[in-house]
Amino acid sequence: MTYTMLFLAFVCSSCNDWLDVTPKTEKAEEDAFKTSKGFQDALTACYIKMNDATLYGAKLMMTDIEYLAQHWSFDESNNLNAVDMQNFEYTSDYPKSTLKSIYSNLYNVITQANTVLENARTRGDVITKDDVRAVVEAEALGIRAFCHMDVLRLFGQMPQNGTRKVQLAYAEEVTTGSIPFYGFEDFTRLISRDIDAALALLKDHDPVFKYSFAELDDFTNSKNNVDLQDDFLGYRRLRFNYYALKALKARLYMYLGDKSKAYEEAKGVIDALDRNGNKMLTLAGESDFAKGNYALPSECILALSNYDLETNLKAWFNNGTKGLYLAAERYNNLFSGVSSGSNRKKVWSAARDNKHAEFLKYKQPEDAASMETSELATQKQVIPLIRLSEMYLIAMESATSLTEVNALYREYMAARGIDTAALTEEQVMQEIMQEYHREFFGEGMMFYTYKRWGTPRMLWKTDREVGENDYVAPLPDTELKTN
């Protein structure tokens, strides 16, 4: 079975054993890492687990994390679990079990990444190609940093002016013993350290410095003249690549409130050029929307390819009284002042019975069975983890000049099909907040954004203000003894 099928369709039987985190015995682990392909399979298992519905396949993207952000409408009598999440009823059965599942599965992925890293140190000589070995280690570090950051954003203390101090476990090795817990500053320092180590590994070995993302998305096409040491090095947009790690660092700095560093990293991604002097990444425009690529894969810096999206969509959306939707009133509120020509409105179905009942961001094409596997995986079955639009919003929020804010804003809005007037100082933050709502609906971003701002009044949370105890999700009971 080719790597293409292994990674894009997620059907390689050799990976199944990895989904229990590690092989059962030392001998099994030694056998699994005897070859370069063994390392590749083990790393791919991390991405498979990240695609699980308990993590980025649903709960940390489209459903539960969005309930916390008050982002969906639904029939309350048929969605009591969502009601409990929206009301931050963390001691109720569903929120409690859901948060425990998210927590344990994030650390499951981290442990898998640590298994790759530990074996790279002891058995990595079997990877004879320098680019492959560097990318394997860098991606494992990137996965470890990314998952720890989401532990921080969901379970950690408020990043600004918090009164509750929370210690969190930073797992750096595979162990049956206890994992060290760290305070906020030390925990974030470890995330930054892992990102820097990954960037150093990729600097001279990531194919993105030689080929464009588009070429690497279609590297088997002879017209692209892509020559890789190994097929494993393709599809960089669907892996932790150099620019994804730069973007993750911008996200981290923004969360910490270090605007100057956040700006520097975000602009580094926005302004990055390929070998021909063209922008490495550009904002998605009408082309993606016209193709029905509503997750905007052309501007994804990091994404997952999820084979189960179509099946899962039926459970989440357009499912009668059990489905999630956006009430017409909320839709009008979301797009207040936005021209009818905005291409982002195409992500929502037309209103019927005062409901925008079909969310199209993840909708799969009717003719999917006739499409090429690579096109499906890189254009349709896409779950965005980091998009270029986030870098624009970070740069806008952290820029020191209103002139630059407006230059970024005009470029960003033009890609969304909107001509806009310049913002005043008083309008900037209000517009940025609205753009996070519009742009990242169904992508799990808004709750974390509210949390870093310490926002007391969430859009559509009208019964009360939101406070520190709402923003800091409780650790599972087994971890409470550490705090």
Side-chain angles (χ1 to χ4, degrees):
M1 181 174 289
T2 65
Y3 174 75
T4 300
M5 290 303 293
L6 167 66
F7 185 71
L8 298 181
F10 303 116
V11 293
C12 178
S13 60
S14 65
C15 277
N16 290 342
D17 292 341
W18 288 106
L19 298 183
D20 289 328
V21 182
T22 59
K24 300 301 182 184
T25 66
E26 177 65 26
K27 180 63 166 60
E29 184 170 327
E30 183 179 344
D31 289 344
F33 287 102
K34 277 186 174 179
T35 65
S36 179
K37 185 178 183 300
F39 277 91
Q40 294 170 20
D41 288 353
L43 186 63
T44 299
C46 294
Y47 292 103
I48 295 172
K49 188 61 182 177
M50 290 175 73
N51 259 312
D52 193 272
T54 61
L55 296 178
Y56 303 99
K59 292 184 181 296
L60 286 180
M61 289 294 291
M62 304 91 170
T63 58
D64 293 271
I65 196 69
E66 292 291 73
Y67 301 154
L68 294 178
Q70 319 298 307
H71 258 188
W72 289 114
S73 307
F74 44 78
D75 184 331
E76 291 193 5
S77 63
N78 290 314
N79 291 276
L80 294 178
N81 292 336
V83 173
D84 283 348
M85 291 295 283
Q86 283 198 340
N87 290 332
F88 310 108
E89 297 287 348
Y90 293 135
T91 58
S92 296
D93 289 343
Y94 179 79
K96 192 172 183 178
S97 63
T98 294
L99 291 170
K100 181 179 180 181
S101 175
I102 290 170
Y103 183 89
S104 63
N105 282 300
L106 282 171
Y107 280 103
N108 185 299
V109 177
I110 290 166
T111 300
Q112 176 63 34
N114 283 335
T115 301
V116 174
L117 289 167
E118 289 187 7
N119 280 280
R121 288 192 290 270
T122 58
R123 302 183 176 100
D125 289 345
V126 302
I127 310 175
T128 58
K129 298 171 180 176
D130 291 342
D131 287 355
V132 174
R133 178 165 180 175
V135 167
V136 165
E137 291 188 50
E139 288 190 24
L141 284 165
I143 290 167
R144 186 167 83 180
F146 187 90
C147 290
H148 276 115
M149 184 167 174
D150 278 355
V151 170
L152 175 76
R153 294 199 296 175
L154 184 54
F155 298 97
Q157 66 196 54
M158 299 291 286
Q160 308 295 328
N161 304 315
T163 60
R164 286 180 54 189
K165 305 302 179 185
V166 180
Q167 290 193 324
L168 298 170
Y170 204 94
E172 300 178 77
E173 60 182 17
V174 180
T175 178
T176 57
S178 59
I179 301 172
F181 279 67
Y182 298 89
F184 186 82
E185 290 185 2
D186 288 335
F187 192 88
T188 56
R189 177 182 54 80
L190 290 170
I191 295 173
S192 182
R193 181 209 60 188
D194 277 353
I195 296 173
D196 286 342
L199 286 168
L201 285 164
L202 290 178
K203 187 175 181 180
D204 297 318
H205 296 284
D206 196 327
V208 298
F209 294 114
K210 189 174 181 181
Y211 304 106
S212 70
F213 279 110
E215 288 170 332
L216 292 165
D217 283 347
D218 194 23
F219 71 94
T220 59
N221 191 327
S222 59
K223 71 179 178 64
N224 288 325
N225 295 316
V226 175
D227 182 21
L228 302 175
Q229 284 188 4
D230 192 297
D231 283 0
F232 170 78
L233 298 173
Y235 307 115
R236 295 306 294 152
R237 203 191 301 271
L238 302 178
R239 313 290 296 270
F240 276 83
N241 61 79
Y242 183 86
Y243 293 108
L245 288 157
K246 294 280 284 183
L248 181 61
K249 199 159 192 184
R251 178 185 285 181
L252 175 63
Y253 283 136
M254 201 70 217
Y255 192 74
L256 299 180
D258 191 335
K259 290 189 174 183
S260 62
K261 289 182 179 178
Y263 173 84
E264 179 182 351
E265 297 294 344
K267 282 286 284 179
V269 175
I270 292 169
D271 297 336
L273 303 177
D274 65 17
R275 68 189 187 284
N276 297 317
N278 300 317
K279 281 285 189 77
M280 195 72 201
L281 292 145
T282 56
L283 289 163
E286 186 56 36
S287 177
D288 269 14
F289 289 96
K291 294 174 183 176
N293 296 341
Y294 299 124
L296 306 184
S298 70
E299 73 168 47
C300 284
I301 311 172
L302 176 67
L304 295 173
S305 182
N306 191 303
Y307 190 69
D308 294 321
L309 260 183
E310 183 175 18
T311 300
N312 291 339
L313 279 168
K314 293 176 181 177
W316 305 329
F317 309 112
N318 202 24
N319 189 21
T321 58
K322 295 183 180 179
L324 305 175
Y325 63 92
L326 191 64
E329 181 182 358
R330 291 188 174 194
Y331 176 89
N332 293 332
N333 179 237
L334 188 67
F335 290 104
S336 175
V338 176
S339 67
S340 58
S342 171
N343 48 34
R344 272 179 307 186
K345 292 187 176 182
K346 296 178 181 178
V347 173
W348 297 94
S349 66
R352 183 177 179 182
D353 298 327
N354 291 317
K355 295 180 180 181
H356 292 268
E358 192 171 10
F359 183 58
L360 305 179
K361 184 170 284 187
Y362 302 108
K363 185 175 175 61
Q364 298 301 294
E366 298 293 336
D367 61 342
S370 65
M371 297 179 70
E372 291 290 332
T373 301
S374 60
E375 183 181 359
L376 276 173
T378 62
Q379 304 297 310
K380 305 298 183 181
Q381 298 165 349
V382 174
I383 297 176
L385 296 182
I386 308 177
R387 289 199 283 118
L388 185 62
S389 48
E390 181 185 352
M391 297 300 103
Y392 271 80
L393 292 178
I394 286 174
M396 286 170 56
E397 189 176 344
S398 55
T400 56
S401 160
L402 183 61
T403 300
E404 182 171 10
V405 170
N406 276 304
L408 289 163
Y409 182 61
R410 282 191 298 272
E411 186 177 345
Y412 167 83
M413 295 300 276
R416 299 301 182 250
I418 303 170
D419 292 326
T420 185
L423 298 172
T424 65
E425 290 277 6
E426 293 73 24
Q427 292 173 322
V428 170
M429 282 307 300
Q430 180 181 356
E431 184 63 15
I432 287 173
M433 179 179 286
Q434 278 294 89
E435 280 305 308
Y436 270 102
H437 282 293
R438 296 168 185 146
E439 189 71 30
F440 302 112
F441 209 110
E443 293 184 37
M445 284 283 290
M446 199 63 226
F447 178 74
Y448 303 135
T449 305
Y450 276 140
K451 183 172 179 177
R452 75 173 172 84
W453 285 334
T455 306
R457 284 289 180 186
M458 288 183 173
L459 185 66
W460 305 323
K461 180 69 173 170
T462 58
D463 59 329
R464 65 175 178 84
E465 290 191 347
V466 181
E468 189 171 20
N469 288 335
D470 303 312
Y471 282 122
V472 181
L475 294 172
D477 291 342
T478 53
E479 303 297 321
L480 291 179
K481 64 182 183 296
T482 65
N483 288 286

